[in-house]
Amino acid sequence: MSRKKICLNRIVAALLSIVLMLAMVCIAPAGDAKAAEPGLYITGGMAHVQNIGDSNAQIVKENGIDTLVLGTRGRGLRVERINVNISNTTGLAGTLQYRVHIQNVGWTGWINAGTPAGTYGRSYRLEGIQFRLTEELAKVYDVRYCAHIQNYGDNQGWVYNGALAGTTGESKRLEEIKVQIVKKGQVEVAPSISYRVHRQSYGWESKWAKNGEVSGTTGQSKRLEAISITVNDNVYSGGVTYATHVQNYGWMSAVQDGQLSGTQGESKRLEAIRISLTGDLANVYDVYYRVHAQDVGWMGWAKNGEDAGTSGGSKRLEAIQIVIVPKGNDAPSSYYKGVTAVTNECFKEFKATTQSFPVSDGANNSYNAGFEEEVLRLVNIERTSRGLAALTMPEDLRAVARVRAKETVTLFEHSRPDGRSCFTALDDAGIDYWTCGENIAMGYTTPQSVVNGWMNSDGHRRNILNPNFEELGVGCYKDSKGRYYWAQMFLTR
């Protein structure tokens, strides 16, 4: 055999061997072949981050679940815009939607996955975010997400299916957002309710109370000024709605799912609250709640929209507990999570004061209501021009100020003609208070002149501009000689 033929045979054999090896590598038994399962997946996303610009999101494993991570952690940088992409090979109708709460803008509308949400080039922070699935996808999958919030970190925890992650009305930036899509039942979550309050002097709590924990304070005489409530559940659709009764405003419009109810920066107390579940949750669970009210203490449990608190007595709410209970189960006990109610009543209505005050106590002696109202207006101009909350004038406090104005005709001092303190006039009127102060004056013939006089006196000025006061009673009394006597009674109940 020639050398050329031997070489050719060797080349053919080598080629056959390579083909056989490739066949062994590429052809696997049918039973071992794997294809991507149909499903709903997050495939990527983008966050526009302060000082960084557009940044591709990462997909990492967290507890074995693919997790989209948007933004940064530990750098104090705001997220300004986000975009989330998904792949839906389930054959089910629907998509992922999200909306964001933007600084100076508020809530956007719901936006489909693949479309940016937020702003570009305006340096506006995202403050809150919600995700939801729609149509058939919502019946098979859950979307769960967690926000890393300025000052609060991860304290809010994971929320589901349209619940608020982040805050509104607090000027807190979102720094990082995590998003997961899981099949229903893949992550078991017992239904829970989370809430936190804005407290006098302290502001918003940094941690969310959950499932009957106490939110607020007791023994410190601090009013609740606002509240935010969220239900977390991945089985039943629905949420929570709530309304508060606010000092001077009465019942506010109901809000839902993490929104702020009450006021912020106005020093207004919450006096009562009502809470209800919505959607399928309302068919399966009851919501119970009870409050700690000024001069009353812990009250009884209210249920499913009942009023909890007080009315007619100007009593502040100081703390609250909220819990959800499966329908058919007993209500929480009077002693619950270390707290004991002092009454079974969940709501108490105080009768309005029946104390009256005269317009005149004689032919030439009279009170001037118009002057009193003008003093209140002028005082509030002084306060609000300095960023302080305006004061209100309840009629019971005006009556006390009128008593004091007339008493100064006999004794122009901060004590009464019988030798008692001026503040015993509040006790005589049945007014409970946390702190108070008094200004008096005589001889001034107009509201503007008496307010100018007080503002030019350090002690009187301090009372007028005291940020802790909420109410002002004004008394203007003219004696038989035509001389005016003035009294201001400042109060926080």
Side-chain angles (χ1 to χ4, degrees):
M1 184 180 295
S2 67
R3 183 183 295 270
K4 289 183 178 181
K5 192 170 183 179
I6 293 173
C7 290
L8 182 61
N9 288 342
R10 288 178 177 175
I11 291 171
V12 171
L15 289 173
L16 289 172
S17 177
I18 291 171
V19 170
L20 182 59
M21 289 175 64
L22 288 173
M24 293 174 65
V25 171
C26 297
I27 301 174
D32 294 337
K34 291 186 178 180
E37 294 183 4
L40 180 64
Y41 303 100
I42 296 176
T43 58
M46 175 278 298
H48 188 84
V49 179
Q50 174 188 0
N51 298 340
I52 296 175
D54 288 345
S55 176
N56 288 329
Q58 295 181 316
I59 296 180
V60 301
K61 289 286 187 183
E62 186 162 323
N63 296 322
I65 300 172
D66 286 342
T67 305
L68 184 75
V69 182
L70 299 153
T72 63
R73 178 179 289 255
R75 300 176 64 179
L77 302 177
R78 65 179 172 266
V79 176
E80 299 175 3
R81 185 177 61 167
I82 62 104
N83 185 21
V84 178
N85 300 315
I86 63 169
S87 171
N88 179 12
T89 59
T90 63
L92 300 175
T95 189
L96 174 72
Q97 293 183 332
Y98 38 84
R99 67 173 186 160
V100 295
H101 191 277
I102 305 170
Q103 173 190 357
N104 297 336
V105 176
W107 284 107
T108 66
W110 286 100
I111 298 168
N112 288 339
T115 305
T119 62
Y120 184 82
R122 301 176 70 182
S123 300
Y124 287 170
R125 64 182 168 265
L126 299 191
E127 299 176 344
I129 192 165
Q130 296 171 292
F131 289 88
R132 71 182 183 187
L133 296 168
T134 65
E135 299 182 74
E136 295 173 319
L137 288 176
K139 300 176 182 179
V140 180
Y141 291 90
D142 293 315
V143 55
R144 62 194 303 259
Y145 42 102
C146 175
H148 188 83
I149 307 165
Q150 176 186 355
N151 297 341
Y152 303 151
D154 298 326
N155 287 340
Q156 189 177 32
W158 291 90
V159 298
Y160 280 79
N161 301 334
L164 170 67
T167 64
T168 61
E170 299 182 43
S171 301
K172 302 297 183 185
R173 65 179 173 264
L174 300 187
E175 298 177 357
E176 181 189 74
I177 305 159
K178 296 180 180 179
V179 190
Q180 298 176 342
I181 293 178
V182 296
K183 283 189 175 181
K184 286 191 176 295
Q186 181 177 346
V187 179
E188 292 294 335
V189 175
S192 63
I193 194 160
S194 303
Y195 44 98
R196 64 191 184 113
V197 296
H198 188 279
R199 304 152 298 169
Q200 175 187 354
S201 304
Y202 301 142
W204 283 101
E205 293 174 314
S206 61
K207 293 186 177 180
W208 279 254
K210 296 182 180 181
N211 301 327
E213 295 173 344
V214 173
S215 182
T217 63
T218 59
Q220 299 186 43
S221 300
K222 300 296 184 184
R223 63 180 171 266
L224 303 188
E225 298 179 349
I227 189 169
S228 169
I229 309 173
T230 302
V231 170
N232 203 16
D233 178 71
N234 67 342
V235 177
Y236 302 101
S237 64
V240 60
T241 182
Y242 43 100
T244 52
H245 190 280
V246 178
Q247 172 188 356
N248 299 335
Y249 296 152
W251 283 105
M252 307 288 279
S253 298
V255 299
Q256 61 184 359
D257 300 328
Q259 294 176 318
L260 180 154
S261 182
T263 65
Q264 192 169 264
E266 298 185 42
S267 300
K268 302 294 186 188
R269 64 181 170 267
L270 301 189
E271 297 177 348
I273 189 169
R274 51 175 73 124
I275 307 172
S276 299
L277 300 176
T278 63
D280 291 339
L281 276 171
N283 299 324
V284 182
Y285 290 94
D286 294 316
V287 59
Y288 287 89
Y289 43 100
R290 66 179 181 182
V291 297
H292 188 280
Q294 174 189 355
D295 298 331
V296 179
W298 281 106
M299 304 185 73
W301 291 101
K303 173 185 176 184
N304 297 341
E306 295 175 343
D307 294 346
T310 68
S311 71
S314 300
K315 305 296 184 184
R316 63 182 171 265
L317 300 188
E318 299 177 347
I320 189 168
Q321 292 175 293
I322 312 174
V323 65
I324 56 176
V325 175
K327 282 192 178 295
N329 287 19
D330 293 335
S333 62
S334 176
Y335 176 81
Y336 191 80
K337 297 213 170 179
V339 173
T340 302
V342 298
T343 176
N344 289 328
E345 289 182 300
C346 64
F347 183 78
K348 185 173 183 179
E349 186 172 2
F350 290 87
K351 292 183 178 179
T353 179
T354 58
Q355 182 175 357
S356 61
F357 47 83
V359 173
S360 172
D361 66 350
N364 297 311
N365 303 343
S366 61
Y367 299 94
N368 192 318
F371 277 12
E372 292 162 354
E373 296 289 346
E374 179 65 6
V375 167
L376 175 67
R377 188 185 74 84
L378 294 171
V379 164
N380 282 335
I381 289 174
E382 298 288 352
R383 288 176 64 89
T384 56
S385 67
R386 294 166 173 83
L388 301 173
L391 303 176
T392 60
M393 185 157 65
E395 291 302 322
D396 60 348
L397 193 55
R398 188 208 294 250
V400 170
R402 286 187 168 188
V403 169
R404 287 293 300 135
K406 183 178 179 182
E407 287 181 346
T408 59
V409 176
T410 303
L411 181 66
F412 190 73
E413 298 285 348
H414 291 296
S415 55
R416 307 180 71 182
D418 63 5
R420 294 184 297 159
S421 163
C422 61
F423 301 120
T424 60
L426 294 166
D427 302 327
D428 291 349
I431 296 176
D432 295 320
Y433 57 91
W434 174 57
T435 186
C436 57
E438 183 185 68
N439 286 344
I440 56 175
M442 67 175 177
Y444 296 95
T445 58
T446 65
Q448 186 68 69
S449 64
V450 72
V451 170
N452 288 345
W454 280 325
M455 288 298 293
N456 288 324
S457 168
D458 288 343
H460 300 94
R461 177 187 175 95
R462 280 196 296 271
N463 273 340
I464 289 174
L465 300 181
N466 189 328
N468 294 319
F469 288 139
E470 299 176 351
E471 298 175 357
L472 171 61
V474 182
C476 175
Y477 179 77
K478 185 173 72 171
D479 69 6
S480 59
K481 298 177 181 180
R483 170 171 279 196
Y484 285 97
Y485 292 81
W486 307 80
Q488 289 181 313
M489 188 65 75
F490 299 88
L491 193 71
T492 298
R493 302 188 194 234

